[in-house]
Amino acid sequence: MNKINADRLIVEYQQKIFGFAMSKMRDVDNAEELASNIVLEVYKSFLKSDNIANIEGYVYRIASNVYARFIDRKMANQHIDIMKIEYPVSESGFDCIESGETYRKLRREIGMLSNRQRAITYMKYYKDMSVMEIAKELNISVGTVKWHLSDIRSGLKEKIDMVKNGNLSVNPVYFVSMGHSGSPGKSGDTKDMFDSRLKQNIAWSCYYQARTVTEIAKELEVPIAYIEGELRKLVEWGYIDQIDNSKNPKYLTNMYITDVREDFSEELKIKKDVADFLCENLFKDMFDKFDKADDNWGMICPNNDKNYLKYNLIMMTLISLGDDWENWEEFAVKRPDGGHFIAYANVTDDCTKKKLDDKYKGCGYMFDQVWRDNRQVLQSIQYNCMYSGRSIDWRNNNPDDWEDLYSYISNGCEKDKISVNSFSNLSAKGYVADGKNQITLINVKDGNLVGTINNFVKTHMQIPEFVLEEGKRTDERFYKANRHKYPKHLEKLVRYNNSNSFTWGENIPFIVERMLEVRMLKPLTDKQKKAVFTVVAINGEE
């Protein structure tokens, strides 16, 4: 744009810009400072741009972005919760300031409500749910809902017209759990990256359809200035893909997000069917053979407790039923900090009760190893669930634990031959108790430790072919039950995540639950729970 036209437009919009600034600030000094910043940015932008289709929307967008940066500086980089950001980005222009102020007032009032009242507000005014439906969804009485609505109406003053809007702007989601399949980097994994609700909502907003940064900002009703930096980081670390190179590119989330607000009753039924099938058609025969084995198939534990070893045998059996690591490579993302994994998260919102049964949750197979003189001397495998006495978090599986355990075992299990800190750590974890190693060991001489663990069951008995065939049929059941719950662009990843279902660690609590019901297993002691579902293959003698 030439300077003459730029000067003309600046004069034309000066008063509107100052009016915008006054509507946002509580005093003239701050309004004047904000207005001067906006004028400068608009003028510079005019000189660089040609053929602006909507001048008013263009100026208003710049004004909104400058305002967002202005507030950010005033807040001295304090954390800003998504529910507390008051001013939406709009392309509609300055004529909507009045209605915007009305909506700002409403959002400010909503933000001051309790979580329960905010949920009731959303359900009543945005989803048009009845009092009875709200009571059922939140598991509270009808009378309680009515009481809250009365209190809410008094606070919000219903003369303010409630305007329908996108779900995320009023009822933002949050990740109820996060994880990974693969190796976390130096900075951690999904949970460490998505450390704010704003990041979580950005990822969710462009999960089912590609969106520009402007569209994301509109969906969340958060100024673009707050979105851009977070989005850039999520793209850099491989959680969101930029799908084109235009001036205003679109973005699409590539991580595997499960909406726990969906109905997962069919998946739960299938997992229980898997437990029943494997108990009857695989483990019954396996346990019978194992009971007759004097050497416990080479597995060593305190007192050679066969019941305790059977718990670990369940984990080893599932691992032996298949290996799909090669296909994993197709979907795993390499992160800037050295991490290499598929990112997972479960999503819900304040208005919905979680529908996944947390009692079955687990932390999938965790492998670790110890090396000495360029030779692998220890390989570990561990799974955490409700039947293990450990935190269900991969961080609980610390590489230092296995270094300490190797030192302890290789020194004849004598605590005086390792450091006090190492022995204290092993004792605190429960891996050593009463002066004895509690971890299940497999001694390997001149062998492949990883191969020993992955193929442990196959070396002692043949897996029936009909069991493997049933596994393939079960994969299809899982896929058909779940494929509609995920976006189209993740179809191949959905297929991958619903394959090799008999090998899943998440089957373990279902199988154990069933075995305890039919008395194929006896309950573990508290001491055994600390070390169960942990097997170590080690080079050399015990």
Side-chain angles (χ1 to χ4, degrees):
M1 182 183 298
N2 61 49
K3 189 174 182 304
I4 294 174
N5 287 336
D7 290 343
R8 176 180 57 79
L9 286 172
I10 278 294
V11 170
E12 180 181 335
Y13 276 93
Q14 257 184 334
Q15 288 302 315
K16 289 186 177 183
I17 289 172
F18 184 71
F20 171 90
M22 282 296 294
S23 74
K24 305 303 182 187
M25 297 290 102
R26 287 180 167 80
D27 60 82
V28 174
D29 289 340
N30 277 321
E32 288 179 343
E33 183 182 352
L34 173 59
S36 65
N37 290 347
I38 294 171
V39 168
L40 177 61
E41 288 297 320
V42 170
Y43 188 65
K44 288 193 299 184
S45 186
F46 278 163
L47 293 175
K48 295 177 181 178
S49 305
D50 290 312
N51 301 320
I52 301 172
N54 179 3
I55 296 291
E56 180 133 330
Y58 184 81
V59 174
Y60 191 78
R61 181 181 175 189
I62 294 173
S64 296
N65 287 333
V66 173
Y67 166 67
R69 294 196 296 270
F70 185 84
I71 287 297
D72 201 35
R73 289 196 298 273
K74 292 289 183 182
M75 293 289 289
N77 295 318
Q78 293 180 37
H79 172 69
I80 298 175
D81 188 277
I82 189 172
M83 287 302 296
K84 296 179 181 177
I85 296 172
E86 298 178 351
Y87 305 108
V89 173
S90 171
E91 299 287 348
S92 57
F94 296 96
D95 293 336
C96 295
I97 285 178
E98 183 178 350
S99 61
E101 286 298 298
T102 300
Y103 193 78
R104 177 187 65 78
K105 183 177 180 181
L106 172 62
R107 281 181 57 79
R108 184 176 63 212
E109 295 288 346
I110 291 175
M112 295 174 67
L113 298 176
S114 67
N115 284 342
R116 174 170 286 181
Q117 286 182 326
R118 194 159 62 229
I120 292 172
T121 300
Y122 175 74
M123 292 175 176
K124 174 66 176 174
Y125 293 103
Y126 290 81
K127 294 182 72 177
D128 292 323
M129 292 173 65
S130 68
V131 170
M132 188 73 72
E133 290 170 332
I134 295 172
K136 183 178 180 181
E137 183 68 25
L138 296 180
N139 196 26
I140 58 179
S141 70
V142 170
T144 300
V145 175
K146 289 180 177 179
W147 184 87
H148 278 300
L149 280 172
S150 175
D151 190 49
I152 291 165
R153 285 167 183 152
S154 175
L156 294 180
K157 301 179 178 62
E158 284 195 310
K159 64 183 181 180
I160 299 175
D161 294 328
M162 289 209 165
V163 182
K164 299 274 184 182
N165 213 316
N167 289 1
L168 292 181
S169 64
V170 177
N171 186 40
V173 301
Y174 64 94
F175 289 174
V176 69
S177 62
M178 292 163 269
H180 68 278
S181 170
S183 304
K186 295 177 182 178
S187 300
D189 78 333
T190 317
K191 185 176 181 180
D192 300 287
M193 172 59 66
F194 288 91
D195 55 355
S196 73
R197 200 158 174 179
L198 178 56
K199 287 180 184 173
Q200 295 165 15
N201 278 268
I202 290 172
W204 185 246
S205 71
C206 54
Y207 186 52
Y208 284 92
Q209 66 181 84
R211 282 194 165 106
T212 66
V213 65
T214 303
E215 290 169 338
I216 294 171
K218 282 184 175 180
E219 173 74 8
L220 304 185
E221 288 204 345
V222 176
I224 290 177
Y226 293 123
I227 300 292
E228 287 176 325
E230 302 286 32
L231 178 61
R232 193 179 305 115
K233 188 171 184 180
L234 293 175
V235 171
E236 178 188 353
W237 285 72
Y239 295 92
I240 294 177
D241 293 330
Q242 179 180 319
I243 63 173
D244 66 80
N245 293 314
S246 65
K247 289 184 179 180
N248 194 21
K250 291 195 172 185
Y251 299 90
L252 199 59
T253 301
N254 66 39
M255 58 188 288
Y256 194 80
I257 307 177
T258 297
D259 190 341
V260 302
R261 297 167 294 187
E262 296 269 7
D263 180 8
F264 283 88
S265 57
E266 179 62 20
E267 179 175 302
L268 184 65
K269 180 181 182 303
I270 297 172
K271 288 178 179 177
K272 290 184 176 181
D273 288 346
V274 168
D276 290 346
F277 177 85
L278 291 178
C279 286
E280 183 65 29
N281 296 283
L282 181 60
F283 286 110
K284 187 175 286 187
D285 181 48
M286 181 183 296
F287 282 6
D288 183 57
K289 288 182 171 64
F290 185 70
D291 284 336
K292 295 174 183 176
D294 294 333
D295 65 348
N296 290 332
W297 291 352
M299 302 172 77
I300 303 167
C301 75
N303 304 316
N304 291 321
D305 186 329
K306 281 187 179 287
N307 179 67
Y308 173 70
L309 289 175
K310 284 176 182 176
Y311 279 83
N312 295 316
L313 193 56
I314 293 170
M315 178 181 71
M316 302 292 281
T317 301
L318 299 187
I319 293 171
S320 293
L321 286 175
D323 183 10
D324 202 23
W325 196 252
E326 185 175 330
N327 286 335
W328 172 89
E329 291 280 357
E330 179 181 351
F331 305 106
V333 176
K334 293 184 177 180
R335 319 286 171 176
D337 66 343
H340 190 198
F341 58 85
I342 303 171
Y344 296 90
N346 291 334
V347 69
T348 187
D349 61 51
D350 292 320
C351 299
T352 309
K353 294 179 295 183
K354 287 187 297 181
K355 293 185 176 134
L356 289 182
D357 195 335
D358 279 350
K359 80 171 186 174
Y360 294 110
K361 70 180 179 181
C363 190
Y365 304 129
M366 294 169 285
F367 293 85
D368 223 312
Q369 51 197 323
V370 176
W371 293 76
R372 293 288 186 274
D373 300 323
N374 296 318
R375 175 172 172 259
Q376 188 186 27
V377 294
L378 180 147
Q379 174 70 46
S380 68
I381 171 68
Q382 186 176 82
Y383 185 83
N384 297 335
C385 67
M386 65 175 172
Y387 292 105
S388 62
R390 299 181 295 271
S391 171
I392 303 178
D393 190 330
W394 64 269
R395 292 165 179 79
N396 187 66
N397 186 289
N398 192 322
D400 291 341
D401 298 340
W402 312 115
E403 292 281 349
D404 291 342
L405 186 68
Y406 178 75
S407 296
Y408 181 68
I409 295 172
S410 61
N411 281 284
C413 295
E414 296 183 26
K415 70 175 184 179
D416 295 336
K417 292 187 177 181
I418 64 172
S419 72
V420 173
N421 286 341
S422 293
F423 185 77
S424 296
N425 174 49
L426 293 174
S427 299
K429 285 290 183 74
Y431 297 164
V432 170
D434 302 326
K436 293 182 180 179
N437 163 55
Q438 302 297 311
I439 300 293
T440 297
L441 295 180
I442 303 172
N443 277 324
V444 181
K445 292 183 179 180
D446 302 321
N448 179 342
L449 302 187
V450 178
T452 296
I453 284 183
N454 288 347
N455 300 301
F456 181 77
V457 171
K458 292 178 183 177
T459 62
H460 293 92
M461 68 171 286
Q462 177 136 11
I463 305 295
E465 188 63 32
F466 77 91
V467 170
L468 301 177
E469 290 299 322
E470 181 63 22
K472 294 176 183 178
R473 286 190 288 272
T474 302
D475 291 349
E476 284 302 312
R477 288 183 66 192
F478 274 117
Y479 179 65
K480 288 178 181 178
N482 291 326
R483 63 185 177 184
H484 67 280
K485 299 170 185 171
Y486 299 89
K488 289 290 185 183
H489 71 280
L490 292 182
E491 185 173 356
K492 291 178 68 176
L493 180 57
V494 174
R495 170 67 77 175
Y496 167 78
N497 279 333
N498 288 275
S499 63
N500 286 292
S501 55
F502 275 11
T503 72
W504 298 350
E506 59 199 76
N507 289 321
I508 291 175
F510 290 90
I511 292 170
V512 173
E513 182 178 64
R514 180 59 180 160
M515 287 185 174
L516 289 171
E517 288 173 356
V518 299
R519 300 190 177 181
M520 289 177 67
L521 288 175
K522 299 175 184 177
L524 296 172
T525 66
D526 289 340
K527 183 192 299 183
Q528 289 174 325
K529 288 179 181 178
K530 292 283 188 180
V532 76
F533 303 128
T534 307
V535 175
V536 165
I538 189 168
N539 264 317
E541 299 295 333
E542 180 185 7

